[in-house]
Amino acid sequence: MDIGSNAAVDLPIPDRFGVNAFEEDGEFEALLRHYLPEELLQHLRPHLHRLGELAGGTLDTLANTADHHPPTLEHRTRTGVDQQRILKHPAYVEMERLAFAEFGLAAMSHRAGVLGWPATMPAAAKYAMTYLFVQAEFGLCCPLSMTDSLTRTLRKFGSPELVERYLPALLAQDLDSLAQGAMFMTEQGAGSDIAATSTLARPDGAAWKLTGDKWFCSNPDAALAMVLARVEGAPEGMKGVSLFLLPRMLEDGKPNAYHIIRLKDKLGTRSMASGEIRLEGATAYLVGELGRGFVQMADMVNNSRLSNGVRAAGMMRRAAAEALYIARHRKAFGRRLIDMPLMQRQLAKIILPGEQARTMMFQAAEALRRSDSGDATAYALVRILTPMLKFRACRDARRVTGDAMEVRGGCGYIEEWSDPRLVRDAHLGSIWEGTSNIVAQDVIRAIVRESSLVVLREHLSGLLDRSEIDVSVKAKLSELLDRSCRLAEMATQAGSDGLARQAASGLYHASSAIAMAWEASATRSARRMAMAQLVARHRLMPRDPLQADSGDGLDLLFNEDSAGINPAQVNLLHP
């Protein structure tokens, strides 16, 4: 968070348009220095600067235009040929060019050479770029994420023949040769209950024929989709479900045997098409082992869930940046809004959840890098950090975007501004790739199946040990971690399903508070140390709702001269 002043603009309503989203966020670059190798950060800096500039201007305009001109479905050509295509507004197509072609966001984790870097980039680099992009556009980030995730899953489980055939197009940065990805998993009668999947797969030589309906398919005209289907004659339940790769076009150039029934009229992500698919004996190829479809699809879903948490973090940053800009540049009753105590409290409630999510994004990205390098312990850490981030950050984004709209006032309710789009888009996160209940239960599942709680506790204790923090604050954070872990252990017991959400929230808040304190120590940021302790105080420690709140810590959040304060001297968790 950077609360430094921008040049005041002589407008009746403060307008942040044109501000570079990377340059204004000094906290972001400080964190990047601790999550990326210095050489890579130096290489990416001009690209981050350009993307920040686009996100604050051109890209935001494109996103607003595409949001107001959703895609449409054409069933026939003007000559009477039955040939479906989705018509996308030129603004959306330009955003595709920026995301897939210029910045290579879907390819940079899978091949060398993207943005001129001689190796594949770690997850932290990809998520840093996505974090900036999503501050302007959320909808397109779904196809980006699914293309990235499908590529990962295909490389991990697909046969050498499938990988050789389809991987080059997935990694292309030329839009004419690019193959975007999707996943067709949801069925009207199944929802999150994958064992109830009814789409049927019948063997057909080296391929399979799929028949059935998929109810909610984002990016429905993607060149490739991962599909869950029940193999004919397979046992009931999860063991009968397998994973298949579904191409849009067959090798002879003809369209595959499935149709888009209609496009969804959605609350948010209106720029990007979502539709209903009817599979009519469509040709598909088995990915991985028969009967292990959900296990293999879970790899794609988990990667997409992590990306979902990244997007929630980015949207909260956009909401906070807008609210801060307004508060700095608007006066009421002769005072700047940001100087008013009530406004500072409201801004703090907007800022803190976004900072928590950003920290957890980077923690998960670093764990994913280690896991992909073969660190089995890191895999267990990714397995618990991912659903924690997806569960809590996506729920927080709904409230944060709404509160930021309120800061702008009546104009915030008008579609000319970004606020309504942020509010609408934010509500998807808690549904997409698993509702809150499902994802909270996945936190508990990671504890039971992967022993993830032990790994998480060791990781966070290590961060505390390596941090220069006030002694009593360190003791309190350690105590809160212990209590959060005990609650999570209770949630794993039979008959304790009702504790899953409470336990997942407790672990998230304890993890983010400790990781933020570690970041504060590393970056020498008293402001970030205050944020870490405010999270602990307001999310984990008991408080009397009728006792006056002193507001301790707000001065560090909004004091532009706090840079000289030693973070180890900050203590808002008074013993």
Side-chain angles (χ1 to χ4, degrees):
M1 178 187 60
D2 183 350
I3 63 166
S5 298
N6 290 307
V9 179
D10 186 18
L11 293 173
I13 302 169
D15 189 350
R16 182 176 162 272
F17 184 83
V19 171
N20 187 308
F22 177 67
E23 275 192 351
E24 76 167 348
D25 190 359
E27 196 90 25
F28 186 33
E29 184 165 6
L31 292 173
L32 286 173
R33 287 197 291 270
H34 291 274
Y35 286 105
L36 289 178
E38 179 61 26
E39 185 179 3
L40 176 57
L41 177 56
Q42 292 299 332
H43 179 84
L44 285 178
R45 186 171 276 108
H47 301 291
L48 290 163
H49 185 277
R50 169 159 166 76
L51 184 51
E53 183 178 38
L54 288 169
T58 301
L59 183 56
D60 195 50
T61 299
L62 293 170
N64 188 59
T65 300
D67 185 72
H68 286 83
H69 297 85
T72 57
L73 176 61
E74 181 183 86
H75 292 280
R76 290 184 126 197
T77 68
R78 66 182 182 180
T79 58
V81 177
D82 290 332
Q83 181 176 305
Q84 288 190 321
R85 64 172 180 157
I86 293 176
L87 304 176
K88 304 171 183 177
H89 192 276
Y92 185 85
V93 176
E94 174 60 13
M95 290 195 296
E96 287 183 308
R97 188 195 68 78
L98 288 170
F100 285 102
E102 179 173 339
F103 290 102
L105 296 180
M108 61 172 53
S109 288
H110 305 288
R111 69 167 174 83
V114 175
L115 296 177
W117 186 247
T120 58
M121 293 196 202
K126 173 179 64 181
Y127 293 145
M129 301 292 286
T130 304
Y131 179 82
L132 283 173
F133 193 96
V134 78
Q135 288 180 42
E137 164 63 6
F138 180 89
L140 178 60
C141 287
C142 170
L144 274 172
S145 170
M146 289 193 295
T147 304
D148 172 45
S149 299
L150 184 147
T151 302
R152 177 184 175 89
T153 301
L154 178 63
R155 295 181 71 175
K156 191 170 183 178
F157 299 110
S159 67
E161 293 79 12
L162 282 182
V163 173
E164 182 179 1
R165 187 188 311 172
Y166 292 114
L167 187 64
L170 286 165
L171 299 182
Q173 286 182 256
D174 174 68
L175 290 186
D176 291 333
S177 55
L178 168 71
Q180 292 189 29
M183 62 175 132
F184 302 162
M185 183 167 65
T186 305
E187 297 184 7
Q188 191 174 13
S192 297
D193 184 5
I194 301 302
T197 294
S198 63
T199 296
L200 195 63
R202 295 184 176 92
D204 181 46
W208 296 75
K209 297 294 185 182
L210 305 186
T211 305
D213 282 13
K214 293 296 182 178
W215 180 245
F216 204 109
C217 306
S218 290
N219 210 23
D221 63 338
L224 296 165
M226 289 290 184
V227 184
L228 286 176
R230 182 172 300 284
V231 172
E232 187 176 42
E236 295 295 319
M238 204 75 81
K239 292 183 179 179
V241 178
S242 296
L243 182 62
F244 299 88
L245 183 68
L246 176 76
R248 178 73 170 150
M249 304 298 293
L250 300 176
E251 291 189 76
D252 61 5
K254 295 179 180 178
N256 207 346
Y258 66 91
H259 288 86
I260 304 168
I261 303 303
R262 63 170 179 166
L263 297 186
K264 301 285 194 181
D265 185 9
K266 299 173 292 181
L267 172 69
T269 63
R270 300 181 67 85
S271 64
M272 179 268 302
S274 299
E276 298 166 22
I277 298 288
R278 176 161 295 159
L279 301 157
E280 301 166 324
T283 299
Y285 303 95
L286 180 68
V287 176
E289 300 176 41
L290 277 172
R292 289 182 59 80
F294 179 71
V295 174
Q296 290 150 182
M297 176 64 97
D299 186 77
M300 183 172 179
V301 169
N302 283 333
N303 200 57
S304 187
R305 281 178 176 172
L306 179 50
S307 189
N308 208 322
V310 173
R311 295 193 289 277
M315 282 196 293
M316 284 191 279
R317 168 60 203 178
R318 170 66 186 273
E322 293 288 338
L324 283 165
Y325 189 90
I326 295 160
R328 285 194 297 265
H329 293 113
R330 186 171 180 179
K331 289 185 177 181
F333 311 107
R335 300 167 66 191
R336 292 193 313 165
L337 297 186
I338 201 168
D339 296 326
M340 298 178 179
L342 275 179
M343 180 55 73
Q344 289 187 357
R345 287 170 182 263
Q346 183 172 355
L347 289 172
K349 291 179 181 180
I350 292 170
I351 293 165
L352 287 176
E355 292 296 334
Q356 286 180 267
R358 174 154 64 178
T359 288
M360 294 295 277
M361 166 186 95
F362 279 128
Q363 288 289 306
E366 173 57 18
L368 183 60
R369 181 195 65 78
R370 290 168 44 211
S371 175
D372 287 346
S373 298
D375 186 335
T377 301
Y379 173 77
L381 189 57
V382 173
R383 271 294 291 119
I384 194 167
L385 288 176
T386 295
M388 281 165 57
L389 175 62
K390 200 278 186 186
F391 166 60
R392 192 66 262 165
C394 292
R395 290 188 63 79
D396 287 343
R398 289 158 46 180
R399 178 180 56 80
V400 165
T401 53
D403 285 356
M405 172 188 282
E406 184 181 342
V407 174
R408 180 166 270 128
C411 288
Y413 200 66
I414 306 303
E415 290 284 350
E416 292 175 319
W417 300 87
S418 61
D419 306 83
R421 179 159 47 93
L422 286 172
V423 169
R424 287 188 277 105
D425 287 352
H427 277 72
L428 180 59
S430 294
I431 301 172
W432 197 2
E433 315 297 15
T435 60
S436 298
N437 286 344
I438 294 296
V439 181
Q441 288 175 321
D442 195 40
V443 173
I444 307 306
R445 192 177 300 113
I447 294 172
V448 173
R449 296 182 180 177
E450 311 292 345
S451 300
S452 290
L453 187 61
V454 175
V455 175
L456 177 66
R457 189 170 191 163
E458 290 178 353
H459 171 69
L460 295 173
S461 296
L463 293 183
L464 272 178
D465 289 342
R466 297 194 298 274
S467 303
E468 293 183 24
I469 308 176
D470 178 274
V471 174
S472 63
V473 170
K474 183 177 289 192
K476 175 56 70 174
L477 291 175
S478 182
E479 175 200 332
L480 293 172
L481 174 60
D482 289 343
R483 293 181 61 196
S484 299
C485 290
R486 284 199 297 271
L487 179 62
E489 288 167 350
M490 289 176 59
T492 66
Q493 303 304 308
S496 298
D497 290 358
L499 291 177
R501 293 171 71 106
Q502 183 184 359
S505 291
L507 286 175
Y508 178 83
H509 293 313
S511 299
S512 58
I514 290 172
M516 289 170 73
W518 170 78
E519 291 170 341
S521 176
T523 61
R524 309 300 297 168
S525 171
R527 182 181 295 122
R528 197 154 197 83
M529 185 64 76
M531 288 192 284
Q533 294 179 36
L534 286 170
V535 168
R537 195 170 78 189
H538 290 277
R539 292 289 179 261
L540 294 170
M541 294 170 64
R543 298 173 63 244
D544 182 350
L546 298 181
Q547 181 177 345
D549 188 336
S550 67
D552 286 356
L554 295 184
D555 57 332
L556 288 173
L557 259 64
F558 300 105
N559 180 2
E560 298 175 14
D561 297 323
S562 64
I565 300 174
N566 183 352
Q569 295 176 345
V570 177
N571 184 349
L572 307 178
L573 310 180
H574 312 293

